[in-house]
C-alpha cells in the first residue's frame, strides 16, 4: 500500500507533460477515486506553475480511467505576481479523462480575518463509527473515516436529511495538507444515500477551494445536498475543518445519482 505522497508522484517527460500511475489502492471498487485523481492532476499543475498551494481547482470528469499509467498535460495560462493559472488534463489511452483549471499560489498560515459560520456540531472522534463503504476497493485502507452516528441512518435502512458529518485521518501517519484536502472534500459517503438512493454516484464537475493551511491532526468534514432533481442530478457542498475548528477547504460538485444511471 502506497502513501498519498507516493500515490501522487509525477515524473516529467517533456515540457509541461508528466507521467504517473493511478494506484488501484486509491479506488472505490474498480473506479479510481475522483478526489485522488484530481489531486494527482493538481500536483502536476503545481509543478508546472512552480507554486506550492492549490488555491482553487475546477475539474470536469469526462470519463472514468482504469488504474494504471496516465499522462498529465499542463499548460500555463497566466503567470501573475500572486498566482498562476494552469490548464491541466489527465489522459489515458489518448483520451482526456479529466479537464481542469488550477489556480496556484501560496497561503500564509494565518487565522481568518472573518468567518460567516463555525464548524457544525460533530460527535467527538471516539464516539463516531468506524466506517467502511459496502464496496470492494482499497481507498478506505488509506484513510480512516469515522461517521457521526447521526449520519449512518442509511446503513440501517433508514432515511435522513441530505447531509453527512464525520472525521478523517490518513492511515500512513501523515497529516492532511493542501493537496490531500482535495481527497477529503470528496470522501464522505454521498449525501443522497440518506434520501434512499443507492449505488455509485459519479462526479461530473467539482470545484475545490483551499481556505487555510491545516493544523496537524484529524480533519472534520460536513457535506450537504441542497436539491436532488428527478433526473438524478444533485449538488454536494463540502466543508472541511482542521483540529482547531478552522475552515481549511470547501467544495461544490455536480453529481449524478446511481439510481438514475441504473434506469438509463
Amino acid at each position: 500500500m502506497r502513501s498519498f505522497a507516493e500515490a501522487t508522484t509525477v515524473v516529467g517527460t517533456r515540457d509541461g507533460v508528466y507521467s504517473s500511475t493511478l494506484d488501484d489502492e486509491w479506488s472505490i471498487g474498480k473506479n479510481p477515486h475522483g478526489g485522488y485523481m484530481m489531486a494527482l492532476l493538481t500536483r502536476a499543475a503545481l509543478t508546472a506553475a512552480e507554486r506550492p498551494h492549490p488555491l482553487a481547482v475546477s475539474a470536469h470528469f469526462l470519463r472514468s480511467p482504469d488504474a494504471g499509467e496516465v499522462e498529465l498535460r499542463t499548460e500555463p495560462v497566466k503567470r501573475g505576481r500572486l498566482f498562476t493559472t494552469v490548464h491541466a488534463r489527465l489522459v489515458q489511452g489518448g483520451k482526456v479523462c479529466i479537464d481542469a483549471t488550477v489556480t496556484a499560489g501560496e497561503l500564509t498560515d494565518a487565522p481568518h480575518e472573518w468567518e460567516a459560520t463555525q464548524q457544525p456540531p460533530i460527535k467527538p472522534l471516539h464516539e463516531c463509527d468506524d466506517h467502511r463503504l459496502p464496496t470492494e476497493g482499497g481507498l478506505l485502507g488509506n484513510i480512516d473515516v469515522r461517521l457521526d452516528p447521526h449520519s449512518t441512518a442509511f446503513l440501517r435502512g433508514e432515511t435522513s436529511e441530505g447531509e453527512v458529518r464525520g472525521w478523517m485521518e490518513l492511515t500512513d501517519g501523515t497529516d492532511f495538507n493542501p493537496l490531500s484536502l482535495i481527497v477529503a472534500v470528496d470522501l464522505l459517503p454521498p449525501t443522497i444515500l440518506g434520501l434512499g438512493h443507492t449505488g455509485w454516484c459519479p462526479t461530473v464537475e467539482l470545484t475545490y477551494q483551499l481556505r487555510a493551511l491545516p493544523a496537524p491532526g484529524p480533519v472534520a468534514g460536513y457535506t450537504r445536498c441542497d436539491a436532488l432533481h428527478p433526473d438524478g442530478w444533485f449538488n454536494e457542498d463540502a466543508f472541511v475543518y482542521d483540529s482547531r475548528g478552522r475552515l481549511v477547504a470547501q467544495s461544490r460538485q455536480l453529481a449524478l445519482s446511481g439510481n438514475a444511471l441504473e434506469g438509463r
Side-chain angles (χ1 to χ4, degrees), residues 52-201:
H53 300 146
L55 304 181
V57 184
S58 178
H60 291 263
F61 294 79
L62 308 180
R63 52 181 54 84
S64 181
D66 298 319
E69 293 183 5
V70 291
E71 187 175 72
L72 310 168
R73 302 174 184 173
T74 67
E75 179 184 359
V77 177
K78 178 183 178 180
R79 295 186 184 274
R81 184 174 61 87
L82 296 178
F83 64 89
T84 298
T85 301
V86 178
H87 180 212
R89 292 170 292 167
L90 186 150
V91 180
Q92 187 178 72
K95 296 181 179 180
V96 178
C97 300
I98 303 176
D99 189 286
T101 300
V102 178
T103 300
E106 184 170 5
L107 283 185
T108 60
D109 188 14
H112 294 305
E113 182 175 326
W114 177 82
E115 286 187 51
T117 58
Q118 300 299 311
Q119 175 183 313
I122 302 176
K123 292 282 188 182
L125 180 64
H126 68 273
E127 295 182 22
C128 292
D129 299 324
D130 184 8
H131 182 59
R132 293 291 181 268
L133 287 174
T135 96
E136 296 179 359
L139 178 67
L140 293 180
N142 291 290
I143 304 179
D144 184 15
V145 178
R146 306 249 173 180
L147 293 183
D148 186 304
H150 184 69
S151 299
T152 59
F154 71 94
L155 294 175
R156 302 186 292 271
E158 303 169 4
T159 58
S160 62
E161 68 271 21
E163 65 174 41
V164 179
R165 306 176 189 201
W167 296 92
M168 295 166 276
E169 286 184 292
L170 291 162
T171 59
D172 63 13
T174 62
D175 293 307
F176 278 96
N177 60 37
L179 195 64
S180 54
L181 284 174
I182 299 175
V183 180
V185 298
D186 191 36
L187 189 59
L188 295 181
T191 50
I192 62 171
L193 295 183
L195 302 176
H197 285 245
T198 60
W200 180 49
C201 299

Side-chain angles (χ1 to χ4, degrees), residues 41 111 147 153 205 242 256:
L41 184 56
L147 293 183
E205 190 274 340
D242 68 6
L256 191 57

Side-chain angles (χ1 to χ4, degrees), residues 162-164 184-193 201 203 205-207 222-227 233-239 250-255:
E163 65 174 41
V164 179
V185 298
D186 191 36
L187 189 59
L188 295 181
T191 50
I192 62 171
L193 295 183
C201 299
T203 300
E205 190 274 340
L206 191 154
T207 296
Y222 168 71
T223 57
R224 70 169 186 241
C225 173
D226 295 315
W233 295 101
F234 69 98
N235 77 289
E236 196 159 271
D237 292 358
F239 305 85
Q250 65 188 115
S251 70
R252 165 163 284 193
Q253 68 172 281
L254 177 68

